[in-house]
Amino acid sequence: MAPLSFLCFLATIVLCTPYASAAATLHLDGELPNGHFEESPSSSNLKKTVIVGKHSLPKWEIDGLVEYIAGGPQPGGFYFPVARGVHAVRLGNEASISQNVNVNPGSVYSLTFGTTRTCAQDEVLKVSVPGQSAELSIQTLFSSDGGDTYAWAFKATSKVVRVTFHNPGIQEDPACGPLLDAIAIKEIVLPQKYIRGNLVKNGGFENGPHVFKNFSTGVLLPPKLLDQISPLPGWIIESLKPVKYIDRKHFSVPVGFAAIELVAGRESAIAQIIRTIPNKSYNLTFTIGDAKNGCHGSMMVEAFAGKETLKVPYVSQGKGGYRTASFKFQAVSPRTRITFYSAYYHTKLHDFGHMCGPVLDNVIVFPTRY
């Protein structure tokens, strides 16, 4: 087996070398070339903050009015938060940035990117590869420091895909537009295999999108309506709002590396359809808690399986902690949907602009024995 350092080296080659072979993308997981935009255009290609020239932003191709900005106070009383590094790009009306990425045809990839709106208007960011696209509304801010990060998954249909981020220009003020802070890509390992003793695939949420190492407020996973291919294998985001993928390095996670934070109350639900035998009884167990991120108050996670429902309360001090719950249900068909959502809305104790919620982890379903 190749050592990990060699696999990382291969991934680096794919990200940095235009003609790397598709076979080397097996473990693709990392930032796109100049994905943090810290490699700046030359001063001769900048007119104040506006980038002049289609190829003036290193490693990217631009179209329309694209600004290269530094975080902090801006002319006109604006303040642009740049959560990672110093620089970011802002997309004006109908503007876009694009980059070609080497991939394996037939494989599923997830893009992770930091974005936020720059005005109070409803702003939309369209992310696309050939034949697949989604328009993400970024009107709702889930964190107050500009650290909102999203994931969007796609299936590669060729050896090279053109990744594009576009402002469709729905806002009235042409000076407004989404801010892009960091962009990474990860190959999603499929098919997701079962773990012995558990009918739930990816029940510990260990297989998910890329998480930035140095700074993370979690990764928002959009609803199925906007992303037919889930960046969280096995699971369906079947709500109006996203759920948040969190990791152990930056949050309190009950078990393993990752978990899900239900950040938008009843508008933030996650589900999976599992194989069952009609009339057979099963046991569903799961763990809830808080992410040790200042999210406080009386929480409630509601779980559904078959015709059964369980409401699990949890009082959070925002300092980390968890509890495990379980209940029995009887399958009524060969497929059973299990669903979880938060009954209440929550914000951080000292930051009411930062939406948060209970953590869900370690979901297990197994047949009961008599």
Side-chain angles (χ1 to χ4, degrees):
M1 181 178 291
L4 181 60
S5 59
F6 179 68
L7 294 177
C8 294
F9 173 70
L10 287 180
T12 303
I13 291 175
V14 173
L15 291 173
C16 301
T17 306
Y19 303 107
S21 67
T25 65
L26 181 61
H27 297 283
L28 185 59
D29 182 7
E31 178 186 333
L32 289 180
N34 200 23
H36 275 73
F37 306 109
E38 298 304 327
E39 190 177 346
S40 65
S42 65
S43 57
S44 61
N45 292 325
L46 282 173
K47 188 175 181 180
K48 293 185 178 179
T49 59
V50 177
I51 304 173
V52 179
K54 193 172 185 178
H55 301 283
S56 297
L57 180 62
K59 309 297 190 300
W60 295 89
E61 183 178 305
I62 71 170
D63 184 51
L65 193 152
V66 178
E67 294 181 88
Y68 187 73
I69 63 99
Q74 307 292 319
F78 289 98
Y79 183 90
F80 291 164
V82 176
R84 304 171 189 85
V86 178
H87 295 98
V89 296
R90 182 166 74 157
L91 305 179
N93 270 351
E94 296 294 343
S96 65
I97 63 170
S98 303
Q99 184 176 127
N100 291 333
V101 182
N102 290 11
V103 291
N104 281 327
S107 294
V108 171
Y109 294 85
S110 175
L111 292 167
T112 299
F113 48 94
T115 186
T116 189
R117 59 179 170 85
T118 55
C119 298
Q121 302 176 26
D122 185 16
E123 295 184 12
V124 169
L125 177 67
K126 181 179 180 180
V127 54
S128 65
V129 297
Q132 301 164 71
S133 66
E135 293 190 359
L136 305 177
S137 172
I138 53 176
Q139 172 68 15
T140 300
L141 298 180
F142 290 88
S143 57
S144 58
D145 59 0
D148 279 355
T149 303
Y150 287 82
W152 180 76
F154 66 91
K155 187 173 184 178
T157 57
S158 60
K159 291 182 178 181
V160 178
V161 295
R162 187 169 181 81
V163 175
T164 300
F165 295 88
H166 174 67
N167 174 9
I170 68 167
Q171 58 271 2
E172 297 175 2
D173 187 349
C176 295
L179 205 67
L180 268 174
D181 177 28
I183 305 172
I185 190 170
K186 179 181 178 181
E187 182 176 355
I188 300 298
V189 179
L190 293 173
Q192 181 65 46
K193 297 180 180 179
Y194 289 104
I195 296 176
R196 186 174 182 180
N198 190 4
L199 296 175
V200 179
K201 290 184 176 181
N202 202 18
F205 308 107
E206 301 300 290
N207 189 9
H210 177 87
V211 177
F212 293 111
K213 295 179 180 179
N214 296 330
F215 176 87
S216 178
T217 56
V219 181
L220 295 164
L221 309 181
K224 183 181 179 181
L225 181 66
L226 298 175
D227 194 358
Q228 294 295 317
I229 302 173
S230 175
L232 188 65
W235 292 93
I236 305 166
I237 317 303
E238 59 174 13
S239 47
L240 297 175
K241 300 290 185 181
V243 301
K244 183 176 282 189
Y245 186 74
I246 61 174
D247 67 297
R248 176 173 290 278
K249 181 177 179 180
H250 301 95
F251 301 89
S252 175
V253 171
V255 181
F257 168 78
I260 290 296
E261 186 180 11
L262 303 171
V263 293
R266 291 176 177 266
E267 297 177 276
S268 189
I270 188 168
Q272 184 171 142
I273 300 173
I274 62 173
R275 294 180 178 181
T276 51
I277 299 174
N279 301 317
K280 189 174 182 61
S281 294
Y282 296 85
N283 193 78
L284 169 61
T285 70
F286 55 96
T287 301
I288 66 169
D290 71 272
K292 199 177 180 180
N293 59 351
C295 197
H296 72 295
S298 297
M299 299 179 173
M300 179 84 72
V301 172
E302 296 193 34
F304 303 84
K307 295 182 178 180
E308 303 299 324
T309 303
L310 180 66
K311 297 181 179 181
V312 185
Y314 175 79
V315 179
S316 171
Q317 304 297 324
K319 299 178 180 179
Y322 57 89
R323 60 167 296 190
T324 298
S326 66
F327 67 98
K328 292 181 180 180
F329 68 92
Q330 187 177 59
V332 295
S333 69
R335 297 288 187 272
T336 298
R337 180 185 297 269
I338 58 174
T339 305
F340 302 88
Y341 68 75
S342 170
Y344 310 131
Y345 294 85
H346 301 275
T347 58
K348 286 188 176 182
L349 179 60
H350 301 295
D351 185 356
F352 294 115
H354 197 126
M355 298 178 68
C356 60
V359 168
L360 173 69
D361 199 6
N362 202 30
V363 181
I364 301 172
V365 172
F366 56 90
T368 57
R369 293 181 173 85
Y370 296 98

